[in-house]
Amino acid sequence: MRVLYRNKSEQHELTVYDTKRLYGEKGRFRVLEFSNAAVQGAMDLDEPARMVLEYPRAIVHLMERNDPEFDTVFVVGHGIGTLPTYLSDRQVKVAELDAEVAALSQTFFGYEGSPVLIGDGRELLGQEPAGAYDYIIIDAFTATGTPEQFISSDFFAMVKDKLDSDGAVILNVFGRAGNDRLVNAIYTTLQGQFAYTRAFALPAETADEVQNRILMGSHHPIEFQIGHMAGFVEQEPEEGYIIVD
């Protein structure tokens, strides 16, 4: 591993490094890491356009499968810009709280997509007109996980207002592979605002393994093809409590 950059911004402990092995795969990779060795983005230096991590590939499939003609997207959480780069032919707005993360995406990962709005994603989304978006993607993290302002009933009600009649919200959250109390609560809270919901996770060897979990809420039935979900499989979280502001 060769460290290219390390610093503590106002929001995160940030590290950028190159490595010849990532999650068991050999190659030449550049990684953005937050606190607690949490990988927030990875680029294949030999094939920069390839989405290395599984969760953005699964999110893209859900988007394309459920609304092939989608055009307007609001993304909360920029990272290295994987999703905005892939969606560069669409109308995309990106919100990122940490200006240093946005700068690193350009300096070390060559990000050239939509301009990144610096500020609190909830506040920035709240300024958007009603019914403006086909998809809203929540991919925001701190050292303690998904910020509370993005998982409450009030927030999901606002999200529903900003989506068009065919719109959907997709969240990337972290949780235990087994019965995770917070993931259960987020999913139950999401169900309180959306008629249709589904949850997905990567298979895990132990129930205590912490992993990406994808949650989706929509006004219409949610479709997916398992062979295009980058290894994610459907899970049904247990009933949880309702999260309020």
Side-chain angles (χ1 to χ4, degrees):
M1 183 178 80
R2 183 167 69 97
V3 175
L4 305 176
Y5 181 90
R6 180 171 284 148
N7 189 41
K8 185 172 183 179
S9 71
E10 292 184 2
Q11 309 298 330
H12 304 287
E13 294 178 8
L14 301 167
T15 305
V16 178
Y17 62 87
D18 287 349
T19 180
K20 295 181 180 179
R21 182 181 292 272
L22 185 65
Y23 299 130
E25 181 182 352
K26 293 182 179 180
R28 294 195 314 124
F29 303 100
R30 181 161 295 171
V31 177
L32 172 64
E33 190 175 275
F34 283 3
S35 307
N36 303 323
V39 172
Q40 298 299 313
M43 172 183 286
D44 184 337
L45 294 174
D46 295 320
E47 193 179 346
R50 178 170 79 96
M51 285 189 284
V52 175
L53 302 181
E54 295 96 342
Y55 84 84
R57 301 205 304 269
I59 288 175
V60 165
H61 168 66
L62 290 169
M63 297 172 76
E64 295 177 340
R65 177 72 177 178
N66 287 279
D67 185 3
E69 304 301 320
F70 78 90
D71 184 52
T72 53
V73 184
F74 194 100
V75 180
V76 178
H78 179 61
I80 68 171
T82 300
L83 283 173
T85 296
Y86 181 85
L87 301 172
S88 59
D89 60 338
R90 320 276 180 156
Q91 298 183 54
V92 181
K93 283 192 177 181
V94 188
E96 169 58 52
L97 184 61
D98 194 332
E100 194 164 337
V101 169
L104 293 177
S105 74
Q106 297 174 322
T107 302
F108 291 101
F109 299 90
Y111 177 72
E112 296 179 344
S114 301
V116 180
L117 306 174
I118 304 301
D120 182 273
R122 178 167 174 165
E123 294 180 3
L124 292 168
L125 179 60
Q127 297 170 13
E128 297 297 308
Y133 290 98
D134 298 314
Y135 284 108
I136 294 172
I137 311 298
I138 307 301
D139 189 20
F141 289 98
T142 67
T144 57
T146 305
E148 293 181 357
Q149 68 262 36
F150 299 119
I151 55 177
S152 71
S153 181
D154 287 342
F155 175 69
F156 290 145
M158 184 183 74
V159 165
K160 185 168 64 174
D161 177 67
K162 304 303 179 182
L163 292 168
D164 64 23
S165 59
D166 295 320
V169 58
I170 302 175
L171 297 94
N172 174 38
V173 302
F174 274 123
R176 292 172 61 251
N179 183 27
D180 187 287
R181 185 170 182 266
L182 180 57
V183 172
N184 294 345
I186 298 171
Y187 193 66
T188 299
T189 305
L190 189 67
Q191 288 178 317
Q193 296 294 335
F194 289 90
Y196 300 91
T197 56
R198 279 187 139 161
F200 306 89
L202 291 170
E205 295 183 0
T206 68
D208 290 330
E209 183 177 332
V210 177
Q211 58 179 192
N212 293 90
R213 306 281 292 272
I214 296 174
L215 311 180
M216 184 170 181
S218 176
H219 301 308
H220 300 281
I222 298 167
E223 298 182 358
F224 69 97
Q225 291 180 310
I226 193 65
H228 295 274
M229 285 293 291
F232 278 82
V233 296
E234 187 169 15
Q235 290 190 338
E236 184 63 33
E238 296 185 14
E239 184 175 355
Y241 59 92
I242 300 294
I243 302 170
V244 296
D245 285 343

